[in-house]
Amino acid sequence: MVNLPVPTENPINDCGAGNEALYKFYAAVMIIIFILALPLNASVMHLFIFKLRFWKSNTNNVFLFNLVLADILLLFCLPVKAYTFIGGERRSGNDTVCKAMLFMLFLNRGASIAFLTVTSIDRYFNVVHPGRKNLLRALKKSPQISILIWLLLLPLTIPTMLKNFECCNSHKTVGNSTFSDDVLIKDVVDSAREVVFFSQIVIPFIVLVYCTVHIVNRLRKKTVGDKTKLRRAVFLVTSVMVVFSICFLPCTIARMVLLIARVQDWKDIKEDKAAMAFDGFMVLSYLDCLLDPLVYCFCSTKFKALYLSNYFPFLVNGDVIVPDSSNSAGNTSNPKRSNII
């Protein structure tokens, strides 16, 4: 009688696409996002560098430039991700490519969330506490605060640079594992990894809700005077909330469901469906690269006027101030009159 080998748990098997047709659809969506978002973000970066000269500006331009930089770096990951999906895998089988992808994805997605949040916090202080001195207002005048944000995000990517993260093997019971030092260490690493993932989204979302509620209340209480700046602030924080609600909250909920499926050892069919849903919502989160330009427009009327005058001049005529490209930091001392339709 021939003894058949006993199947063992293999992370590669856990990373196989359960429905190849569905994952090819996910790949097509990522390719479309890449094709649409890359020229859009490249044009935005061109304006920040050559027209607004963000490094000489005392406004939110420094934060917004870092936001578009994070989006562009994230976009370069999408073709590689799409290629692995087309090949029937949830992640690359190459260890180096896999870790590099996880590093780029989580660093730049974290940076995008961080700079969206910082922009909203800055607007909150300007609207709700206009006369109060705060550390953010002092730091945003120099690029050091942006560099510090990037440096703080680097150690947060270390727990996620593991192959079994993307395939969600956290806290998975393997065989007849008993309590041992190796199991305990694995549980600690898994828990740390998940804490990083959820905290990157949940904490900023709570901050954004707080800022949005107080800015809206401030607008309602203001009965006299010009409300234009307050309305613009409401538009800004509302647009950020929409970006979060569409892009990041669904994948967070799906991640939680998939973890429950792993821990409670659901049947394979349910677990596969949870994994496919999580991957789909992660693809949806990349839509953030297309929605962020809405934040740019709501945050800066100068940026909106400059963008339209450079790329869509047929939409403008002579009533809106467009910053002179020869003037650093977007100063409008020699403006050109135009009107956005």
Side-chain angles (χ1 to χ4, degrees):
M1 182 176 179
V2 179
N3 293 326
L4 297 176
V6 179
T8 58
E9 293 289 343
N10 188 347
I12 295 294
N13 293 335
D14 293 331
C15 291
N19 186 329
E20 292 189 6
L22 179 61
Y23 277 82
K24 288 180 180 178
F25 170 75
Y26 290 162
V29 172
M30 285 190 288
I31 292 173
I32 292 174
I33 292 175
F34 177 81
I35 293 174
L36 295 177
L38 184 60
L40 176 61
N41 284 276
S43 64
V44 170
M45 177 168 283
H46 171 266
L47 292 185
F48 276 124
I49 295 175
F50 296 103
K51 300 294 182 178
L52 291 175
R53 300 185 183 183
F54 70 94
W55 63 90
K56 295 183 179 180
S57 175
N58 292 333
T59 65
N60 280 327
N61 289 345
V62 175
F63 294 151
L64 295 179
F65 171 80
N66 282 274
L67 179 59
V68 70
L69 176 62
D71 287 342
I72 287 180
L73 293 175
L74 179 61
L75 282 172
F76 287 128
C77 300
L78 298 191
V80 180
K81 187 75 173 174
Y83 178 79
T84 59
F85 278 6
I86 293 173
E89 295 290 339
R90 298 176 61 203
R91 63 156 174 83
S92 174
N94 184 289
D95 186 67
T96 302
V97 174
C98 179
K99 290 185 178 181
M101 282 289 297
L102 286 173
F103 173 78
M104 291 293 291
L105 286 171
F106 284 95
L107 175 64
N108 295 297
R109 195 181 75 138
S112 180
I113 293 173
F115 285 108
L116 280 173
T117 306
V118 171
T119 301
S120 298
I121 294 174
D122 178 69
R123 190 54 58 94
Y124 162 79
F125 279 112
N126 289 338
V127 171
V128 180
H129 305 290
R132 181 182 300 179
K133 294 182 179 180
N134 62 82
L135 182 62
L136 182 61
R137 183 176 300 175
L139 291 177
K140 76 171 185 176
K141 295 182 180 181
S142 64
Q144 280 77 6
I145 180 64
S146 299
I147 296 174
L148 179 62
I149 291 174
W150 283 101
L151 291 177
L152 290 176
L153 288 171
L154 284 174
L156 296 180
T157 64
I158 295 175
T160 59
M161 285 178 59
L162 301 172
K163 289 193 296 184
N164 62 347
F165 175 83
E166 198 167 31
C167 299
C168 197
N169 296 315
S170 296
H171 301 293
K172 183 176 182 180
T173 303
V174 180
N176 296 321
S177 298
T178 58
F179 289 102
S180 64
D181 292 340
D182 292 339
V183 174
L184 291 177
I185 292 174
K186 179 182 181 300
D187 287 341
V188 171
V189 173
D190 289 346
S191 299
R193 185 167 54 241
E194 298 306 327
V195 167
V196 170
F197 178 85
F198 286 106
S199 62
Q200 276 190 336
I201 298 175
V202 174
I203 294 177
F205 183 74
I206 294 173
V207 172
L208 289 173
V209 170
Y210 178 87
C211 293
T212 302
V213 170
H214 281 75
I215 289 176
V216 171
N217 288 338
R218 173 68 175 170
L219 178 62
R220 289 177 177 176
K221 292 179 180 178
K222 188 175 179 63
T223 57
V224 295
D226 184 15
K227 292 186 177 182
T228 302
K229 291 184 178 180
L230 286 175
R231 290 195 181 98
R232 194 179 304 138
V234 172
F235 287 150
L236 169 66
V237 295
T238 302
S239 64
V240 174
M241 288 289 294
V242 170
V243 170
F244 256 79
S245 299
I246 293 176
C247 297
F248 301 125
L249 290 184
C251 68
T252 305
I253 297 173
R255 179 77 181 179
M256 188 177 301
V257 173
L258 184 50
L259 282 176
I260 294 174
R262 290 288 192 185
V263 173
Q264 295 186 355
D265 195 20
W266 289 359
K267 293 182 179 179
D268 291 339
I269 297 179
K270 292 183 179 180
E271 186 176 314
D272 288 344
K273 289 181 178 178
M276 288 186 289
F278 170 68
D279 290 335
F281 285 123
M282 282 297 293
V283 172
L284 181 65
S285 71
Y286 305 142
L287 194 63
D288 168 62
C289 299
L290 275 174
L291 296 179
D292 280 344
L294 295 177
V295 178
Y296 309 152
C297 292
F298 286 137
C299 187
S300 173
T301 54
K302 292 180 182 179
F303 173 83
K304 180 171 64 176
L306 183 61
Y307 191 92
L308 291 177
S309 66
N310 276 269
Y311 300 110
F312 301 97
F314 56 88
L315 294 178
V316 299
N317 58 40
D319 293 331
V320 172
I321 296 176
V322 178
D324 186 357
S325 60
S326 64
N327 194 339
S328 65
N331 196 329
T332 57
S333 58
N334 296 313
K336 176 174 66 176
R337 304 294 297 182
S338 61
N339 183 46
I340 299 176
I341 297 176

